[in-house]
Amino acid sequence: QVQLVESGGGLVQAGGSLRLSCAASGSIFKINAMAWYRQAPGKQRDLVASITNTGNTIYADSVKGRFTISRDNAKNTVYLQMNSLKPEDTAVYYCTYPYVVGSRVWGQGTQVTVSS
């Protein structure tokens, strides 16, 4: 299976921006839906955004208009551009794709902390 490694997290002030990257160990060309999830302390892991091979995207209501997901199949990389960050965006962000039925492959996550 293709492994995923996230990077780009860090500490940023409210209103700032970060760009997360998800580098795959192999080709993502045949992986239809790549996605970003996030998990804040004490909360469940929730979908942030997803993108298909044809460029169709889905966003959580809380990030619409602020976050943009994209993918570069030639570089086997998925990105999450995050603008106008808010303290409530603080979480560990995970890159993922569906594997066999009922399971997903996850990266190790990258911490995003937004200070007020």
Side-chain angles (χ1 to χ4, degrees):
Q1 66 189 40
V2 174
Q3 303 298 317
L4 305 172
V5 178
E6 303 94 334
S7 62
L11 174 63
V12 64
Q13 288 188 331
S17 298
L18 283 174
R19 187 195 197 202
L20 305 184
S21 297
C22 171
S25 62
S27 174
I28 63 171
F29 178 75
K30 292 186 178 180
I31 300 176
N32 187 26
M34 298 293 301
W36 288 94
Y37 280 65
R38 68 185 179 187
Q39 187 168 21
K43 296 189 176 181
Q44 67 181 19
R45 193 173 296 188
D46 291 326
L47 175 69
V48 176
S50 67
I51 184 167
T52 67
N53 250 329
T54 56
N56 292 323
T57 56
I58 295 174
Y59 294 95
D61 287 343
S62 59
V63 306
K64 283 181 181 177
R66 300 188 299 122
F67 290 11
T68 303
I69 188 171
S70 61
R71 62 191 290 169
D72 186 334
N73 288 343
K75 294 183 179 180
N76 297 321
T77 303
V78 181
Y79 303 98
L80 185 67
Q81 178 67 44
M82 306 186 296
N83 299 327
S84 301
L85 282 161
K86 304 175 181 180
E88 50 265 43
D89 294 317
T90 295
V92 178
Y93 284 70
Y94 297 91
C95 183
T96 181
Y97 66 91
Y99 190 48
V100 297
V101 174
S103 72
R104 306 185 70 85
V105 173
W106 299 91
Q108 85 289 350
T110 185
Q111 176 71 47
V112 171
T113 303
V114 184
S115 63
S116 57

